[in-house]
Amino acid sequence: MQKSLSVYDSDGSTFAPLVVIELVSETKEEAIAWLLNRVRDKQQDGGAELLVEQLTPGAQGTEKDNPNVYVVGASWQRLLYGAEDVGLFKEFNDGSMRGFTYANKHNFKEFQGDGDGFLSMAECQYIIKHGLDNLRAKDEAHVPGYPKMKLYPGKSVIRRMQSKGVLVQVFPLHEKEELKRLSFSWFKKIKLSFQPLDDIRHYFGEGMALYFGFLEYFTLALIPMALIGIPYYLFDWEDYDKFTVFAGFNLVWCTVILELWKRLSASLAYGWGTLSRKKAFEEPRPGFHGVLGVNPVTGRAEPLYSNAKRQLRIYLVSVPFVLLCLYLSLYVMMIYFDMEGWALMIHDEEPTFWTGLLLFIPSIIYAVVIEIMNLIYRYAAEFLTGWENHRLESTFQNHLVLKVLVFNFFNCFASLFYIAFVMQDMVLLRQSLATLLITSQILNQIMEAFLPYWLQRRRNKKAHKRMIKTMEDKELPLSEQVKLEADMSTYLGTFDDYLELFLLFGYVSLFSCVYPLAAVLVVLNNVTEVYSDAFKMCKVFKRPFSEPAANIGVWQLAFEAMSVIAVVTNCALIGMSPQVKSYFPESETQLILWVVGFEHFLLASKFILTFVIPDVPKHIQIKLSRLEFESLEALKKRKMLEASGIPKTAK
């Protein structure tokens, strides 16, 4: 918990500010008073029972500063009850992970004395966010002062005000001392060591910690391939008869590492208390709209939207749009091949050092164009998925991921497939893969860390000066800290980070047998990625709310789908090698049948391996089963006591 800064609530009690609510500067007084009362009201009266106070401007405050900025905290008892409400799992005295209950709080391992320090700041902020999100309209027809801003019984007040633009943002505050310690152990001190995943989880939550855990694991998993790739590149890279060995290693590698990751992520999630945590009931997205009706599950009045209309939008608009974008990507790819042919023609006519360099220019231009097209398509896909009007955030994310993955896969890998299987030019394939890989890595590093930091400095020089003060470890008053963090860019989640790793995984697993240094380049990229991502999380973006997570979600399926494609690709490359063709000099059909049969055998082995290797380690399965057994026994005992108590009361 944050102790260095505190504010006074309206009743005179002090509290640590954890979350900031910012309303637009011209928000009507009656709306502000109503919202603050709802935040402070008791939970049994429909409030959040939180502590909230207006942020007082500091000595450097100006007339341009927004007066409608409020800091939110909570009493310790409210946070403990909130931990039970959101279903936090904590370590019990017997070493098992159990759902926290207020009545049983002293039986949890880390709950000592009054329990101070039992909850991390990230958990406290998550509890406050949960309380704010669950502020629901009661009998109000609209937000006071805004007759057109309709409210429906049971609908989230905060989400409604946010979607209508009255509420600007809600974000958690950084804790200076804790952030300084994390920064030092994470990225300020350059050293060869594992990332402080427990500290990352403690500060940013399980979702962020799992991303960095996967990034670290993926990097370590690439090291064997990199170690094999370096001598392979130095001695055999021009001898394509030998790439069958590397392709065979690829086949085993991409399957095994994903299966082992599932076990590692299960171990991490169990230790963090999210593996057996029940998923919260999903509320409608803030942008979801429709005709007012009654939800058959909750019984609440909320907007309903016809699924048939949504399917029509998907199949009549979204699918044709994606196909059109794929066609444009194909068209750009053919322009790239024309440029390659032109550069090759010039080099053949008069081979010099400069014409040799010219051979790489088309690939570099194409790599830059690919990144630009991916970026433009991403914005279009977000708009289109929002227009489809999905009710739940998880459904929205799944449709967005599918759109983006299909286009990115086609845009990034179509030219490589064409070169490999249509042109069958391994020299050009190696050159294109190397250029695409190196160029995309450089652009991603610039776009992800350095550009946001530069834009931050350009946008607000005063904020930058305050940031320099923070970096110099000078004490900042609360008002200055809030202003600084409010002006920072908002972190939009791990979507782009996972997408980058997905594409890198594709480059390595699909075609690295013809360019063995691919794994080495990806290892170097991932090492710098750790530092740049850590830097942007600590210095460039607002602190995101903690997101409980038991795994990497839909991205696990994406990586597994890529590994299946890798089996097919590497088998085809093996079948094309002169070494294998020499065994079938007379019958190409027989060669194809052997390659297809081998591929089916490997796919079957892959799925058997997936089935044989359990996703959750045995010792964790035993702990989960024991906890389930104890819960069932306790339930039986309670029912027996209730049953035996009935005749006694009857007497």
Side-chain angles (χ1 to χ4, degrees):
M1 288 287 292
Q2 186 169 342
K3 295 292 185 184
S4 57
L5 299 171
S6 61
V7 294
Y8 288 90
D9 189 31
S10 55
D11 63 0
S13 59
T14 62
F15 67 91
L18 297 172
V19 174
V20 175
I21 296 177
E22 183 180 359
L23 302 166
V24 292
S25 56
E26 62 273 12
T27 307
K28 297 184 179 177
E29 290 295 329
E30 53 264 46
I32 295 173
W34 170 76
L35 178 63
L36 296 184
N37 286 334
R38 291 298 309 275
V39 173
R40 293 186 179 115
D41 282 349
K42 300 287 184 185
Q43 284 183 288
Q44 55 264 36
D45 298 329
E49 207 169 332
L50 299 172
L51 305 173
V52 59
E53 196 56 47
Q54 187 173 16
L55 183 71
T56 53
Q60 298 179 7
T62 64
E63 291 183 2
K64 292 182 180 179
D65 290 339
N66 185 357
N68 296 327
V69 179
Y70 300 85
V71 287
V72 184
S75 67
W76 186 236
Q77 187 180 40
R78 169 68 180 89
L79 289 171
L80 290 176
Y81 276 117
E84 183 176 346
D85 290 340
V86 300
L88 284 186
F89 270 62
K90 291 286 184 177
E91 189 175 1
F92 211 60
N93 283 335
D94 63 1
S96 63
M97 301 299 295
R98 297 172 185 249
F100 175 77
T101 56
Y102 185 83
N104 213 14
K105 58 184 182 291
H106 292 290
N107 290 323
F108 285 85
K109 193 172 183 179
E110 295 174 4
F111 197 97
Q112 299 169 352
D114 61 354
D116 192 19
F118 179 67
L119 299 175
S120 69
M121 190 176 175
E123 288 170 335
C124 294
Q125 289 167 332
Y126 176 74
I127 290 165
I128 288 174
K129 179 179 181 289
H130 180 265
L132 292 173
D133 285 343
N134 279 280
L135 279 177
R136 304 196 180 281
K138 297 187 289 185
D139 50 1
E140 305 97 336
H142 57 82
V143 174
Y146 296 90
K148 292 184 178 179
M149 200 180 298
K150 303 292 184 186
L151 290 174
Y152 307 110
K155 285 288 287 179
S156 172
V157 169
I158 294 290
R159 287 170 179 253
R160 184 66 173 167
M161 294 180 75
Q162 207 163 6
S163 65
K164 290 297 181 181
V166 174
L167 196 153
V168 179
Q169 58 182 344
V170 179
F171 65 90
L173 278 171
H174 277 293
E175 203 286 303
K176 184 182 169 186
E177 290 302 318
E178 198 174 336
L179 182 63
K180 187 168 70 174
R181 286 193 297 271
L182 176 61
S183 299
F184 182 77
S185 64
W186 196 5
F187 70 90
K188 279 191 175 179
K189 189 177 178 182
I190 298 176
K191 56 183 179 178
L192 288 174
S193 64
F194 293 109
Q195 293 180 87
L197 292 182
D198 286 327
D199 294 339
I200 297 168
R201 173 252 170 181
H202 192 268
Y203 194 82
F204 288 110
E206 293 81 15
M208 190 66 63
L210 276 173
Y211 162 69
F212 281 101
F214 181 73
L215 174 58
E216 179 178 88
Y217 173 81
F218 180 39
T219 307
L220 292 173
L222 282 165
I223 290 175
M225 184 172 280
L227 291 175
I228 294 171
I230 292 172
Y232 202 92
Y233 176 84
L234 293 175
F235 300 113
D236 285 326
W237 73 309
E238 292 288 0
D239 186 358
Y240 294 109
D241 288 357
K242 303 290 193 306
F243 71 61
T244 52
V245 178
F246 205 87
F249 179 76
N250 251 354
L251 293 170
V252 178
W253 175 83
C254 64
T255 298
V256 171
I257 66 159
L258 292 177
E259 290 306 310
L260 293 180
W261 164 250
K262 284 196 279 191
R263 293 172 62 83
L264 176 60
S265 67
S267 299
L268 290 172
Y270 178 79
W272 295 338
T274 55
L275 185 61
S276 51
R277 186 172 173 178
K278 291 180 181 177
K279 194 174 180 181
F281 180 77
E282 277 195 88
E283 296 291 337
R285 291 176 56 247
F288 176 68
H289 58 85
V291 180
L292 188 63
V294 177
N295 186 316
V297 177
T298 62
R300 297 176 188 152
E302 67 174 47
L304 300 177
Y305 189 77
S306 168
N307 188 54
K309 287 183 181 178
R310 185 180 298 112
Q311 296 300 320
L312 285 174
R313 288 188 174 193
I314 291 171
Y315 290 108
L316 295 183
V317 179
S318 296
V319 172
F321 174 78
V322 172
L323 293 175
L324 176 63
C325 290
L326 295 180
Y327 171 76
L328 291 174
S329 174
L330 190 65
Y331 186 75
V332 171
M333 183 185 78
M334 299 316 294
I335 294 174
Y336 156 64
F337 285 128
D338 288 341
M339 290 170 61
E340 281 283 1
W342 170 76
L344 193 61
M345 182 182 68
I346 291 177
H347 180 67
D348 288 343
E349 286 178 359
E350 190 179 347
T352 64
F353 172 77
W354 297 109
T355 56
L357 286 180
L358 184 65
L359 291 174
F360 291 92
I361 298 300
S363 296
I364 293 172
I365 294 172
Y366 184 52
V368 173
V369 170
I370 281 176
E371 293 298 322
I372 294 171
M373 289 175 68
N374 286 344
L375 189 63
I376 294 171
Y377 177 83
R378 167 70 191 277
Y379 288 115
E382 282 186 351
F383 172 79
L384 208 58
T385 311
W387 177 73
E388 289 168 4
N389 198 25
H390 296 280
R391 180 179 173 272
L392 301 178
E393 184 65 31
S394 60
T395 313
F396 173 87
Q397 288 295 331
N398 289 342
H399 280 261
L400 178 62
V401 167
L402 183 62
K403 286 187 186 72
V404 173
L405 285 188
V406 167
F407 180 78
N408 276 254
F409 180 84
F410 191 86
N411 201 29
C412 293
F413 298 114
S415 62
L416 300 178
F417 277 100
Y418 187 85
I419 294 168
F421 302 119
V422 178
M423 298 173 66
Q424 297 188 11
D425 187 342
M426 296 302 162
V427 176
L428 181 58
L429 178 61
R430 184 187 71 242
Q431 176 192 314
S432 298
L433 176 61
T435 309
L436 282 171
L437 194 53
I438 294 169
T439 308
S440 65
Q441 287 177 0
I442 293 170
L443 290 174
N444 279 326
Q445 292 296 334
I446 293 170
M447 293 294 292
E448 285 190 1
F450 300 109
L451 184 62
Y453 183 60
W454 182 78
L455 289 174
Q456 176 74 13
R457 293 178 63 184
R458 294 279 297 172
R459 186 171 60 244
N460 194 330
K461 289 183 179 179
K462 285 186 179 180
H464 177 59
K465 287 177 184 176
R466 289 195 289 267
M467 188 184 296
I468 294 296
K469 285 183 182 179
T470 307
M471 290 178 178
E472 291 172 353
D473 300 327
K474 293 179 180 177
E475 186 65 34
L476 267 178
L478 177 63
S479 58
E480 292 300 308
Q481 181 185 343
V482 171
K483 281 185 211 171
L484 167 64
E485 294 184 26
D487 289 336
M488 287 180 173
S489 302
T490 301
Y491 182 64
L492 300 176
T494 54
F495 184 98
D496 290 319
D497 299 312
Y498 277 120
L499 179 61
E500 182 185 351
L501 293 183
F502 171 79
L503 294 175
L504 291 174
F505 179 74
Y507 285 127
V508 172
S509 61
L510 296 176
F511 297 108
S512 64
C513 60
V514 296
Y515 184 61
L517 280 188
V520 179
L521 292 174
V522 175
V523 168
L524 294 174
N525 173 81
N526 287 3
V527 171
T528 57
E529 185 81 11
V530 168
Y531 288 98
S532 64
D533 283 354
F535 171 77
K536 75 181 182 184
M537 292 308 306
C538 295
K539 298 295 181 186
V540 176
F541 291 112
K542 290 186 188 76
R543 184 180 187 174
F545 279 106
S546 168
E547 287 295 334
N551 48 54
I552 61 174
V554 69
W555 291 103
Q556 181 75 37
L557 293 174
F559 279 91
E560 287 176 358
M562 180 68 84
S563 72
V564 171
I565 297 170
V567 170
V568 178
T569 304
N570 281 278
C571 284
L573 287 170
I574 290 171
M576 286 169 52
S577 69
Q579 189 179 8
V580 173
K581 281 184 176 179
S582 64
Y583 290 103
F584 304 93
E586 297 177 356
S587 175
E588 190 174 339
T589 305
Q590 195 175 9
L591 169 63
I592 293 171
L593 289 174
W594 269 100
V595 169
V596 171
F598 182 59
E599 170 218 305
H600 279 60
F601 169 75
L602 287 173
L603 286 174
S605 302
K606 176 182 173 60
F607 291 122
I608 290 169
L609 195 64
T610 304
F611 180 76
V612 168
I613 301 176
D615 294 348
V616 180
K618 187 70 175 176
H619 69 281
I620 294 178
Q621 287 182 9
I622 291 170
K623 288 180 179 178
L624 293 174
S625 299
R626 185 185 298 145
L627 185 61
E628 187 179 356
F629 174 75
E630 288 176 6
S631 300
L632 289 171
E633 288 297 304
L635 185 63
K636 285 180 186 176
K637 189 174 181 180
R638 192 173 70 184
K639 285 184 177 180
M640 287 174 66
L641 288 172
E642 287 174 356
S644 62
I646 292 172
K648 289 179 182 177
T649 52
K651 288 177 182 178

